[in-house]
């Protein structure tokens, strides 16, 4: 996720050796550690740290690189309206809203996306361009691809799935509208799909949970608990499915982060989380994010977490 609203000039790929501080923890062990660390966590306390390597870094998103170039396995599908699965399954009767972060055309609409909107705890840009890999694969392309894969998996489980957008509009939607779409759908769960734009060496994924915000149009008190449960489920299943470790720079190794500055969470009246699937500016993470087979694993991990949360 990036909060830069203007695209920078395209960046050339860098050829350099990167020393990875720690290897991936074996999938099953990592998943077990996540559940052990997060089970029974009190919502009023910060999540406990996992015994995984971590670094004390501050996330600093870089300016995105606009490039129309995609990567392997991108097969967009049209339509963002709710589509009942038409079949039974463990998620039959459940509604899930998928919120693909950013929009591929935001780069072309700086005035519109820079417009300030009320997020309860303050005011913020309508939307941002998002980040990208150093080779130009944009976050907006990534989030749409994972979202399409996620929708297919959830519909196979019987869920009714709605998108906040499917690159079918010139920009946005604004963050407050994204929240309203989930609220109007009376979603049983909403997941906003993102990727981070931090520094080289900052590795791993994390799930962002809503903080307690009661200000203006925002009142997250009814959703803080359910959203944390949804987030914990996704963290455990994402580790198991992808082998990606929890972030070593956000969340102290738990894979969880609590924030009050995101309008999409503040204005939600239904359980909602964001997932930063990896760091697009780290060479190891970006290689995974650009892989179609890994994106399928990412979608599977998110889907399994949603299914577990909804009792499927």
């Amino acid at each position: 996720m990036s909060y830069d609203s203007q695209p920078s000039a395209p960046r050339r790929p860098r050829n350099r050796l990167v020393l990875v501080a720690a290897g991936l923890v074996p999938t099953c062990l990592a998943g077990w550690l996540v559940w052990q660390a997060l089970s029974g966590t009190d919502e009023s306390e910060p999540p406990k740290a996992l015994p995984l390597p971590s670094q004390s870094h501050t996330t600093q998103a870089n300016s995105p690189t606009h490039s129309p170039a995609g990567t392997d396995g991108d097969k967009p599908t049209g339509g963002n309206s709710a589509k009942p699965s038409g079949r039974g399954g463990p998620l039959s009767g459940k509604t899930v809203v998928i919120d693909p972060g950013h929009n591929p055309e935001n780069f072309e609409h700086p005035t519109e996306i820079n417009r300030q909107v009320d997020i309860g705890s303050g005011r913020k840009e309508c939307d941002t361009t998002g980040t990208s890999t150093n080779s130009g694969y944009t976050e907006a392309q990534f989030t749409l691809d994972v979202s399409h894969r996620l929708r297919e998996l959830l519909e196979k489980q019987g869920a009714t799935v709605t998108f906040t957008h499917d690159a079918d509009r010139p920009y946005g939607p604004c963050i407050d509208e994204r929240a309203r779409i989930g609220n109007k759908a009376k979603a049983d769960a909403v997941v906003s799909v993102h990727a981070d734009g931090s520094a080289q060496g900052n590795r791993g994924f994390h799930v962002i949970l809503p903080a307690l915000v009661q200000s203006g149009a925002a009142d997250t008190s009814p959703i803080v608990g359910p959203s944390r449960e949804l987030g914990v489920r996704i963290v455990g299943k994402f580790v198991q499915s992808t082998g990606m470790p929890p972030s070593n720079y956000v969340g102290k190794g738990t894979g969880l982060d609590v924030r009050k500055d995101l309008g999409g969470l503040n204005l939600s009246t239904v359980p909602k989380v964001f997932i930063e699937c990896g760091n697009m500016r780290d060479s190891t993470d970006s290689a995974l994010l650009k892989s179609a087979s890994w994106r399928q694993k990412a979608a599977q991990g998110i889907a399994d977490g949603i299914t577990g949360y909804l009792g499927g």
Side-chain angles (χ1 to χ4, degrees):
M1 180 190 298
S2 171
Y3 297 105
D4 297 325
S5 57
Q6 299 288 348
S8 62
R11 302 178 57 165
R12 295 180 181 276
R14 303 172 185 171
N15 294 320
R16 58 180 179 179
L17 292 177
V18 178
L19 295 179
V20 180
L24 292 177
V25 177
T27 301
C28 294
L29 175 59
W32 179 85
L33 289 172
V34 169
W35 285 110
Q36 292 297 311
L38 301 180
S39 59
T41 302
D42 189 283
E43 292 153 15
S44 64
E45 298 178 354
K48 299 176 183 178
L50 290 174
L52 293 173
S54 62
Q55 301 174 14
S56 179
H57 292 296
T58 300
T59 306
Q60 295 192 359
N62 294 298
S63 298
T65 304
H66 182 34
S67 169
T71 188
D72 61 319
D74 289 327
K75 297 179 180 179
T77 57
N80 65 353
S81 59
K83 295 192 293 184
S85 66
R87 62 173 67 90
L91 297 185
S92 180
K94 302 294 185 181
T95 298
V96 178
V97 171
I98 302 172
D99 179 26
H102 312 288
N103 182 317
E105 300 305 315
N106 277 356
F107 292 93
E108 306 298 330
H109 298 273
T111 300
E112 292 87 348
I113 68 171
N114 283 329
R115 178 173 61 85
Q116 298 283 301
V117 298
D118 186 0
I119 65 169
S121 61
R123 297 185 69 80
K124 208 162 188 177
E125 295 90 346
C126 156
D127 201 6
T128 64
T129 57
T131 187
S132 71
T133 66
N134 291 328
S135 62
Y137 180 48
T138 66
E139 182 182 359
Q141 289 174 288
F142 170 82
T143 64
L144 277 171
D145 182 81
V146 172
S147 296
H148 294 148
R149 297 169 188 272
L150 177 56
R151 175 171 61 188
E152 182 177 358
L153 292 168
L154 292 172
E155 288 181 342
K156 286 180 179 178
Q157 297 293 310
T160 296
V161 179
T162 297
F163 272 26
T164 57
H165 79 96
D166 200 0
D168 51 354
R169 52 191 298 163
Y171 66 89
C174 293
I175 52 180
D176 54 343
E177 183 181 353
R178 290 173 187 262
R180 288 195 295 271
I181 291 170
N183 298 343
K184 183 178 180 180
K186 298 181 179 179
D188 296 289
V190 183
V191 175
S192 190
V193 180
H194 288 267
D196 209 0
S198 188
Q200 172 68 35
N202 288 349
R203 285 217 55 213
F205 78 96
H206 63 279
V207 174
I208 304 174
L209 311 175
L212 179 60
V213 177
Q214 293 177 300
S215 177
D219 181 7
T220 62
S221 56
I223 69 163
V224 166
S227 297
R228 175 174 284 273
E229 183 181 348
L230 171 61
V232 168
R233 296 276 188 172
I234 291 175
V235 167
K237 294 300 184 181
F238 199 83
V239 169
Q240 292 176 359
S241 180
T242 66
M244 174 78 81
S247 170
N248 63 7
Y249 63 100
V250 173
K252 298 180 179 179
T254 65
L256 295 175
D257 187 30
V258 179
R259 290 175 59 172
K260 64 179 180 180
D261 64 324
L262 299 177
L265 296 180
N266 290 356
L267 300 175
S268 182
T269 59
V270 294
K272 183 174 182 177
V273 300
F274 282 43
I275 180 167
E276 301 281 359
C277 295
N279 177 17
M280 300 195 92
R281 291 304 177 95
D282 175 80
S283 56
T284 302
D285 276 12
S286 67
L288 296 174
L289 298 173
K290 290 187 289 185
S291 163
S293 61
W294 189 88
R295 293 195 301 272
Q296 186 65 33
K297 293 177 182 178
Q300 187 68 63
I302 299 169
D304 289 345
I306 294 171
T307 301
Y309 168 73
L310 295 178

